[in-house]
Amino acid sequence: MAAITIFGNGNMGQALDSVFTAGGNTVTHIDRDDAVENLGDIVVLAVPYPVAVSIAKAQAAQLAGKVVIDISNPLNFDTWDELVVPADSSATAELAKLLPDSQVIKAFNTTFAATLASKQVSGKEVTTVLAAGDNAAAKQMLADALKTSGVKVIDAGALKRARELEAMGFLQMTLAASEKIGWTGGFAILN
Amino acid sequence: MAAITIFGNGNMGQALDSVFTAGGNTVTHIDRDDAVENLGDIVVLAVPYPVAVSIAKAQAAQLAGKVVIDISNPLNFDTWDELVVPADSSATAELAKLLPDSQVIKAFNTTFAATLASKQVSGKEVTTVLAAGDNAAAKQMLADALKTSGVKVIDAGALKRARELEAMGFLQMTLAASEKIGWTGGFAILN
Protein backbone atom coordinates (compact mmCIF):
# COMPACT_ATOMS: atom_id res chain seq x y z
CA MET A 1 0.00 0.00 0.00
CA ALA A 2 1.23 3.43 -0.87
CA ALA A 3 0.17 7.04 -1.06
CA ILE A 4 -0.55 7.84 -4.69
CA THR A 5 -0.93 11.28 -6.21
CA ILE A 6 -2.50 11.47 -9.65
CA PHE A 7 -2.08 14.54 -11.82
CA GLY A 8 -5.20 14.72 -13.94
CA ASN A 9 -8.78 13.62 -13.51
CA GLY A 10 -9.75 12.59 -17.04
CA ASN A 11 -10.76 9.11 -18.14
CA MET A 12 -7.34 7.67 -17.38
CA GLY A 13 -7.00 9.59 -14.11
CA GLN A 14 -10.31 8.21 -12.91
CA ALA A 15 -9.53 4.66 -14.03
CA LEU A 16 -6.16 4.86 -12.27
CA ASP A 17 -7.91 6.08 -9.13
CA SER A 18 -10.22 3.07 -9.14
CA VAL A 19 -7.47 0.54 -9.68
CA PHE A 20 -5.07 2.01 -7.12
CA THR A 21 -7.93 2.31 -4.61
CA ALA A 22 -8.81 -1.33 -5.28
CA GLY A 23 -5.18 -2.11 -4.44
CA GLY A 24 -5.64 -0.61 -0.98
CA ASN A 25 -3.71 2.58 -1.61
CA THR A 26 -4.54 6.14 -0.61
CA VAL A 27 -5.21 8.21 -3.72
CA THR A 28 -5.30 11.95 -4.11
CA HIS A 29 -5.78 13.97 -7.29
CA ILE A 30 -4.11 17.18 -8.23
CA ASP A 31 -4.72 19.60 -11.05
CA ARG A 32 -1.82 20.71 -13.15
CA ASP A 33 -1.97 24.18 -11.63
CA ASP A 34 -2.36 23.10 -8.03
CA ALA A 35 0.42 23.62 -5.55
CA VAL A 36 2.28 20.33 -5.50
CA GLU A 37 2.67 19.79 -1.78
CA ASN A 38 2.27 16.56 0.15
CA LEU A 39 2.85 14.41 -2.90
CA GLY A 40 2.51 10.67 -2.43
CA ASP A 41 5.30 8.14 -2.83
CA ILE A 42 4.07 7.44 -6.34
CA VAL A 43 3.08 10.31 -8.59
CA VAL A 44 1.19 9.48 -11.77
CA LEU A 45 1.23 11.98 -14.61
CA ALA A 46 -2.19 11.17 -16.12
CA VAL A 47 -2.09 14.11 -18.47
CA PRO A 48 -1.25 14.58 -22.15
CA TYR A 49 2.46 14.39 -22.91
CA PRO A 50 2.96 18.15 -23.46
CA VAL A 51 1.40 18.80 -20.05
CA ALA A 52 3.61 16.16 -18.47
CA VAL A 53 6.62 18.00 -19.91
CA SER A 54 5.37 21.27 -18.40
CA ILE A 55 4.86 19.67 -15.01
CA ALA A 56 8.30 18.04 -15.12
CA LYS A 57 9.94 21.35 -15.99
CA ALA A 58 8.08 23.31 -13.33
CA GLN A 59 8.06 20.76 -10.52
CA ALA A 60 11.30 18.82 -10.80
CA ALA A 61 12.31 19.77 -7.26
CA GLN A 62 9.01 18.68 -5.76
CA LEU A 63 9.10 15.42 -7.71
CA ALA A 64 12.63 14.58 -6.54
CA GLY A 65 12.75 11.28 -4.66
CA LYS A 66 9.36 10.21 -5.99
CA VAL A 67 8.43 7.35 -8.25
CA VAL A 68 6.94 9.17 -11.23
CA ILE A 69 4.73 7.22 -13.62
CA ASP A 70 4.44 8.43 -17.21
CA ILE A 71 1.35 6.98 -18.87
CA SER A 72 1.45 9.11 -22.01
CA ASN A 73 1.05 8.11 -25.62
CA PRO A 74 2.79 11.01 -27.35
CA LEU A 75 0.81 10.94 -30.58
CA ASN A 76 0.68 13.72 -33.09
CA PHE A 77 -3.08 14.05 -32.70
CA ASP A 78 -3.34 16.12 -35.87
CA THR A 79 -2.14 13.27 -38.08
CA TRP A 80 -2.50 10.13 -35.92
CA ASP A 81 0.43 8.95 -38.04
CA GLU A 82 3.49 9.52 -35.86
CA LEU A 83 4.77 10.22 -32.39
CA VAL A 84 6.05 13.66 -31.38
CA VAL A 85 9.13 12.34 -29.57
CA PRO A 86 12.43 11.58 -31.32
CA ALA A 87 12.26 8.20 -33.09
CA ASP A 88 15.13 6.77 -31.07
CA SER A 89 13.74 8.01 -27.74
CA SER A 90 10.44 7.99 -25.87
CA ALA A 91 8.24 10.34 -23.90
CA THR A 92 9.42 8.60 -20.74
CA ALA A 93 13.10 9.00 -21.61
CA GLU A 94 12.53 12.69 -22.36
CA LEU A 95 10.73 13.16 -19.03
CA ALA A 96 13.47 11.25 -17.20
CA LYS A 97 16.01 13.78 -18.52
CA LEU A 98 13.91 16.54 -16.94
CA LEU A 99 13.54 14.62 -13.67
CA PRO A 100 17.05 13.37 -12.86
CA ASP A 101 16.25 12.97 -9.16
CA SER A 102 13.03 11.01 -9.65
CA GLN A 103 12.56 7.37 -10.56
CA VAL A 104 10.60 7.54 -13.80
CA ILE A 105 8.57 4.57 -14.99
CA LYS A 106 6.52 4.00 -18.12
CA ALA A 107 3.27 2.20 -17.38
CA PHE A 108 -0.44 2.16 -18.21
CA ASN A 109 0.02 3.50 -21.76
CA THR A 110 -0.91 0.13 -23.28
CA THR A 111 -4.17 -0.15 -21.33
CA PHE A 112 -7.23 1.79 -22.40
CA ALA A 113 -9.14 3.60 -19.65
CA ALA A 114 -12.00 1.12 -19.97
CA THR A 115 -9.82 -1.98 -19.68
CA LEU A 116 -8.05 -0.47 -16.69
CA ALA A 117 -11.30 0.39 -14.92
CA SER A 118 -12.95 -2.97 -15.65
CA LYS A 119 -9.68 -4.87 -15.14
CA GLN A 120 -10.55 -6.97 -18.16
CA VAL A 121 -9.76 -6.80 -21.86
CA SER A 122 -12.94 -7.33 -23.81
CA GLY A 123 -14.57 -8.74 -20.68
CA LYS A 124 -12.51 -11.89 -21.03
CA GLU A 125 -8.87 -11.61 -20.05
CA VAL A 126 -7.30 -9.90 -17.06
CA THR A 127 -5.81 -6.52 -17.88
CA THR A 128 -2.01 -6.45 -17.74
CA VAL A 129 0.02 -3.34 -17.02
CA LEU A 130 3.44 -3.32 -18.66
CA ALA A 131 5.99 -1.25 -16.74
CA ALA A 132 9.45 -0.19 -17.92
CA GLY A 133 12.10 1.65 -15.97
CA ASP A 134 15.69 1.53 -14.81
CA ASN A 135 15.06 1.26 -11.06
CA ALA A 136 14.00 -2.18 -9.84
CA ALA A 137 12.84 -0.92 -6.45
CA ALA A 138 10.58 1.66 -8.05
CA LYS A 139 9.03 -0.94 -10.33
CA GLN A 140 8.54 -3.21 -7.32
CA MET A 141 6.79 -0.39 -5.46
CA LEU A 142 4.37 -0.04 -8.36
CA ALA A 143 3.85 -3.81 -8.52
CA ASP A 144 3.19 -3.92 -4.77
CA ALA A 145 0.69 -1.08 -5.02
CA LEU A 146 -1.26 -3.06 -7.63
CA LYS A 147 -0.83 -6.49 -6.05
CA THR A 148 -4.44 -6.83 -4.85
CA SER A 149 -5.93 -4.43 -7.39
CA GLY A 150 -7.18 -7.03 -9.83
CA VAL A 151 -4.85 -6.04 -12.66
CA LYS A 152 -1.65 -7.89 -13.41
CA VAL A 153 1.73 -6.14 -13.67
CA ILE A 154 4.62 -7.32 -15.82
CA ASP A 155 8.08 -5.79 -15.63
CA ALA A 156 8.80 -4.96 -19.28
CA GLY A 157 12.46 -4.16 -18.69
CA ALA A 158 14.61 -1.06 -18.72
CA LEU A 159 13.54 2.51 -19.41
CA LYS A 160 14.74 1.95 -22.97
CA ARG A 161 11.74 -0.35 -23.53
CA ALA A 162 9.41 2.65 -23.10
CA ARG A 163 10.03 3.26 -26.80
CA GLU A 164 8.45 -0.09 -27.65
CA LEU A 165 5.63 0.39 -25.14
CA GLU A 166 4.81 3.71 -26.78
CA ALA A 167 4.85 2.13 -30.23
CA MET A 168 2.48 -0.55 -28.96
CA GLY A 169 0.18 2.00 -27.33
CA PHE A 170 0.17 4.07 -30.49
CA LEU A 171 -0.63 1.03 -32.63
CA GLN A 172 -3.44 -0.01 -30.31
CA MET A 173 -4.94 3.48 -30.47
CA THR A 174 -4.83 3.50 -34.28
CA LEU A 175 -6.58 0.11 -34.34
CA ALA A 176 -9.33 1.40 -32.05
CA ALA A 177 -9.69 4.71 -33.91
CA SER A 178 -10.12 2.78 -37.18
CA GLU A 179 -12.63 0.42 -35.52
CA LYS A 180 -10.49 -2.69 -35.96
CA ILE A 181 -10.83 -3.24 -32.21
CA GLY A 182 -13.04 -1.64 -29.59
CA TRP A 183 -11.90 0.76 -26.87
CA THR A 184 -12.86 -1.94 -24.33
CA GLY A 185 -10.63 -4.48 -26.10
CA GLY A 186 -7.13 -4.46 -27.51
CA PHE A 187 -3.96 -6.23 -26.53
CA ALA A 188 -4.36 -8.88 -23.84
CA ILE A 189 -1.18 -10.47 -22.56
CA LEU A 190 -1.36 -14.19 -21.91
CA ASN A 191 1.15 -16.59 -20.44
CA MET B 1 -6.86 -19.39 -52.47
CA ALA B 2 -3.47 -18.50 -53.77
CA ALA B 3 -0.12 -19.97 -54.68
CA ILE B 4 2.28 -19.23 -51.84
CA THR B 5 6.05 -19.47 -51.93
CA ILE B 6 7.85 -19.46 -48.62
CA PHE B 7 11.55 -18.69 -48.42
CA GLY B 8 12.83 -20.61 -45.42
CA ASN B 9 11.82 -23.78 -43.64
CA GLY B 10 12.53 -22.99 -40.01
CA ASN B 11 9.98 -22.84 -37.20
CA MET B 12 8.20 -19.88 -38.74
CA GLY B 13 8.40 -21.27 -42.28
CA GLN B 14 6.79 -24.49 -41.13
CA ALA B 15 4.10 -22.73 -39.10
CA LEU B 16 3.32 -20.50 -42.09
CA ASP B 17 3.06 -23.58 -44.27
CA SER B 18 0.50 -25.14 -41.95
CA VAL B 19 -1.62 -22.02 -41.70
CA PHE B 20 -1.59 -21.23 -45.42
CA THR B 21 -2.32 -24.88 -46.22
CA ALA B 22 -5.23 -24.77 -43.76
CA GLY B 23 -6.47 -21.77 -45.72
CA GLY B 24 -6.68 -23.91 -48.87
CA ASN B 25 -3.65 -22.45 -50.60
CA THR B 26 -0.89 -24.20 -52.51
CA VAL B 27 2.38 -23.83 -50.65
CA THR B 28 5.90 -24.38 -51.91
CA HIS B 29 9.14 -23.82 -50.04
CA ILE B 30 12.36 -22.48 -51.42
CA ASP B 31 15.82 -22.25 -49.95
CA ARG B 32 17.64 -18.98 -50.09
CA ASP B 33 20.03 -20.34 -52.68
CA ASP B 34 17.45 -22.04 -54.88
CA ALA B 35 16.66 -20.69 -58.31
CA VAL B 36 13.62 -18.50 -57.81
CA GLU B 37 11.43 -19.63 -60.66
CA ASN B 38 7.72 -20.24 -60.62
CA LEU B 39 7.16 -18.06 -57.59
CA GLY B 40 3.63 -17.91 -56.19
CA ASP B 41 1.43 -14.85 -56.09
CA ILE B 42 2.46 -14.34 -52.48
CA VAL B 43 6.09 -14.75 -51.48
CA VAL B 44 6.87 -14.94 -47.77
CA LEU B 45 10.38 -14.15 -46.61
CA ALA B 46 10.51 -16.41 -43.55
CA VAL B 47 14.19 -15.82 -43.00
CA PRO B 48 16.24 -13.59 -40.70
CA TYR B 49 16.23 -9.94 -41.70
CA PRO B 50 19.80 -9.89 -43.10
CA VAL B 51 18.91 -12.84 -45.33
CA ALA B 52 15.74 -11.10 -46.47
CA VAL B 53 17.88 -8.12 -47.48
CA SER B 54 20.18 -10.41 -49.48
CA ILE B 55 17.23 -12.03 -51.22
CA ALA B 56 15.66 -8.66 -52.01
CA LYS B 57 18.93 -7.39 -53.48
CA ALA B 58 19.56 -10.51 -55.55
CA GLN B 59 16.00 -11.29 -56.66
CA ALA B 60 14.26 -7.94 -57.10
CA ALA B 61 13.46 -8.70 -60.73
CA GLN B 62 11.95 -12.08 -59.95
CA LEU B 63 9.93 -10.63 -57.07
CA ALA B 64 8.50 -7.85 -59.24
CA GLY B 65 4.72 -7.98 -59.36
CA LYS B 66 4.51 -10.25 -56.33
CA VAL B 67 3.03 -9.64 -52.91
CA VAL B 68 6.08 -10.00 -50.67
CA ILE B 69 5.53 -10.62 -46.97
CA ASP B 70 8.25 -9.58 -44.55
CA ILE B 71 7.86 -11.39 -41.22
CA SER B 72 11.17 -10.32 -39.71
CA ASN B 73 11.94 -8.99 -36.28
CA PRO B 74 15.22 -7.20 -36.94
CA LEU B 75 16.72 -7.56 -33.48
CA ASN B 76 20.34 -7.09 -32.64
CA PHE B 77 20.63 -10.65 -31.36
CA ASP B 78 23.93 -9.90 -29.64
CA THR B 79 22.34 -7.42 -27.25
CA TRP B 80 18.57 -8.11 -27.44
CA ASP B 81 18.33 -4.42 -26.61
CA GLU B 82 17.72 -2.71 -29.96
CA LEU B 83 16.72 -3.17 -33.56
CA VAL B 84 19.26 -3.03 -36.38
CA VAL B 85 17.13 -0.84 -38.66
CA PRO B 86 17.09 2.97 -38.44
CA ALA B 87 14.88 4.14 -35.56
CA ASP B 88 12.57 6.08 -37.84
CA SER B 89 12.22 3.22 -40.34
CA SER B 90 11.50 -0.51 -40.29
CA ALA B 91 12.81 -3.69 -41.84
CA THR B 92 9.78 -3.67 -44.11
CA ALA B 93 10.35 -0.12 -45.27
CA GLU B 94 13.99 -0.93 -45.98
CA LEU B 95 12.99 -4.02 -47.98
CA ALA B 96 10.34 -2.03 -49.86
CA LYS B 97 13.06 0.36 -51.03
CA LEU B 98 14.90 -2.65 -52.49
CA LEU B 99 11.72 -4.02 -54.09
CA PRO B 100 10.08 -1.03 -55.78
CA ASP B 101 8.08 -3.25 -58.16
CA SER B 102 6.71 -5.58 -55.46
CA GLN B 103 3.89 -5.00 -52.99
CA VAL B 104 5.61 -5.38 -49.63
CA ILE B 105 3.62 -6.18 -46.52
CA LYS B 106 4.62 -6.60 -42.90
CA ALA B 107 2.84 -9.51 -41.23
CA PHE B 108 3.36 -12.45 -38.88
CA ASN B 109 6.13 -10.76 -36.88
CA THR B 110 3.86 -10.37 -33.83
CA THR B 111 2.90 -14.04 -33.76
CA PHE B 112 5.24 -16.64 -32.36
CA ALA B 113 5.68 -19.81 -34.43
CA ALA B 114 3.77 -21.81 -31.81
CA THR B 115 0.78 -19.46 -31.72
CA LEU B 116 0.68 -19.41 -35.51
CA ALA B 117 0.80 -23.21 -35.79
CA SER B 118 -1.79 -23.78 -33.03
CA LYS B 119 -3.86 -20.76 -34.09
CA GLN B 120 -4.32 -19.91 -30.46
CA VAL B 121 -2.53 -17.67 -28.01
CA SER B 122 -1.95 -19.59 -24.78
CA GLY B 123 -4.55 -22.12 -25.92
CA LYS B 124 -7.30 -19.60 -25.21
CA GLU B 125 -7.68 -16.85 -27.77
CA VAL B 126 -7.56 -17.00 -31.55
CA THR B 127 -4.26 -15.88 -33.02
CA THR B 128 -4.45 -12.57 -34.88
CA VAL B 129 -2.10 -11.61 -37.70
CA LEU B 130 -1.49 -7.87 -37.97
CA ALA B 131 -0.65 -6.78 -41.51
CA ALA B 132 0.66 -3.37 -42.60
CA GLY B 133 1.28 -2.14 -46.14
CA ASP B 134 0.48 0.58 -48.60
CA ASN B 135 -1.43 -1.50 -51.15
CA ALA B 136 -4.98 -2.39 -50.16
CA ALA B 137 -5.35 -5.08 -52.83
CA ALA B 138 -2.22 -6.84 -51.65
CA LYS B 139 -3.42 -6.83 -48.05
CA GLN B 140 -6.79 -8.14 -49.23
CA MET B 141 -5.05 -10.96 -51.08
CA LEU B 142 -3.30 -11.96 -47.86
CA ALA B 143 -6.56 -11.72 -45.90
CA ASP B 144 -8.33 -13.86 -48.50
CA ALA B 145 -5.57 -16.47 -48.36
CA LEU B 146 -6.05 -16.76 -44.60
CA LYS B 147 -9.85 -16.47 -44.57
CA THR B 148 -10.51 -20.11 -43.73
CA SER B 149 -7.16 -20.79 -42.09
CA GLY B 150 -8.31 -20.42 -38.49
CA VAL B 151 -6.26 -17.32 -37.76
CA LYS B 152 -7.71 -13.84 -37.83
CA VAL B 153 -6.19 -11.03 -39.91
CA ILE B 154 -6.41 -7.34 -39.03
CA ASP B 155 -5.29 -4.60 -41.40
CA ALA B 156 -2.95 -2.55 -39.22
CA GLY B 157 -2.67 0.31 -41.69
CA ALA B 158 0.00 1.72 -43.95
CA LEU B 159 3.55 0.44 -44.43
CA LYS B 160 4.60 3.12 -41.96
CA ARG B 161 2.97 1.07 -39.18
CA ALA B 162 5.55 -1.69 -39.73
CA ARG B 163 7.73 0.33 -37.37
CA GLU B 164 5.21 -0.15 -34.56
CA LEU B 165 4.64 -3.81 -35.46
CA GLU B 166 8.37 -4.40 -35.22
CA ALA B 167 8.53 -2.63 -31.87
CA MET B 168 5.67 -4.82 -30.65
CA GLY B 169 7.31 -7.99 -31.95
CA PHE B 170 10.60 -7.01 -30.35
CA LEU B 171 8.90 -6.30 -27.01
CA GLN B 172 7.06 -9.61 -27.11
CA MET B 173 10.31 -11.47 -27.78
CA THR B 174 12.04 -9.75 -24.85
CA LEU B 175 9.14 -10.72 -22.57
CA ALA B 176 9.39 -14.35 -23.67
CA ALA B 177 13.18 -14.43 -23.45
CA SER B 178 12.96 -13.11 -19.89
CA GLU B 179 10.23 -15.64 -19.05
CA LYS B 180 7.55 -13.04 -18.35
CA ILE B 181 5.38 -14.83 -20.91
CA GLY B 182 5.72 -18.17 -22.64
CA TRP B 183 6.57 -18.73 -26.29
CA THR B 184 3.07 -20.19 -26.70
CA GLY B 185 1.50 -17.04 -25.28
CA GLY B 186 2.00 -13.34 -25.74
CA PHE B 187 -0.18 -10.63 -27.21
CA ALA B 188 -3.72 -11.68 -28.02
CA ILE B 189 -5.87 -9.12 -29.80
CA LEU B 190 -9.47 -8.92 -28.62
CA ASN B 191 -12.38 -6.89 -29.90
Side-chain angles (χ1 to χ4, degrees), chain A residues 81 122 125 155 161 188 191, chain B residues 81 122 125 161 180 188 191:
Chain A
D81 197 35
S122 200
E125 301 289 351
D155 181 347
R161 289 289 81 73
N191 280 324
Chain B
D81 197 35
S122 200
E125 302 288 350
R161 289 290 80 72
K180 306 289 171 57
N191 281 323

Side-chain angles (χ1 to χ4, degrees), chain A residues 81 87-88 121-122 124-125 155 160-161 163-165 167-168 170-171 180 185-191, chain B residues 81 87-88 121-122 124-125 154-155 160-161 163-165 167-168 170-171 180 185-191:
Chain A
D81 197 35
D88 61 351
V121 181
S122 200
K124 292 177 71 180
E125 301 289 351
D155 181 347
K160 200 174 172 190
R161 289 289 81 73
R163 178 181 178 276
E164 284 73 40
L165 292 177
M168 184 175 163
F170 172 28
L171 180 69
K180 307 290 171 56
F187 300 146
I189 301 165
L190 307 184
N191 280 324
Chain B
D81 197 35
D88 62 350
V121 181
S122 200
K124 292 177 71 180
E125 302 288 350
I154 290 182
D155 181 348
K160 201 173 172 190
R161 289 290 80 72
R163 178 181 178 276
E164 283 73 40
L165 291 177
M168 187 176 160
F170 172 27
L171 180 68
K180 306 289 171 57
F187 300 146
I189 300 165
L190 307 184
N191 281 323

Side-chain angles (χ1 to χ4, degrees), chain A residues 117-129:
Chain A
S118 73
K119 299 161 193 166
Q120 288 193 316
V121 181
S122 200
K124 292 177 71 180
E125 301 289 351
V126 66
T127 297
T128 300
V129 175

Side-chain angles (χ1 to χ4, degrees), chain A residues 55-132:
Chain A
I55 291 169
K57 284 181 176 170
Q59 312 289 356
Q62 290 83 349
L63 291 167
K66 305 295 182 183
V67 173
V68 176
I69 315 280
D70 165 39
I71 75 160
S72 69
N73 278 304
L75 270 69
N76 178 335
F77 286 101
D78 292 328
T79 66
W80 277 71
D81 197 35
E82 63 189 351
L83 300 181
V84 297
V85 290
D88 61 351
S89 184
S90 66
T92 315
E94 298 303 304
L95 290 169
K97 288 181 204 166
L98 298 170
L99 298 170
D101 297 319
S102 305
Q103 297 300 338
V104 182
I105 291 175
K106 184 94 211 175
F108 301 106
N109 77 299
T110 62
T111 54
F112 290 143
T115 63
L116 196 58
S118 73
K119 299 161 193 166
Q120 288 193 316
V121 181
S122 200
K124 292 177 71 180
E125 301 289 351
V126 66
T127 297
T128 300
V129 175
L130 294 170

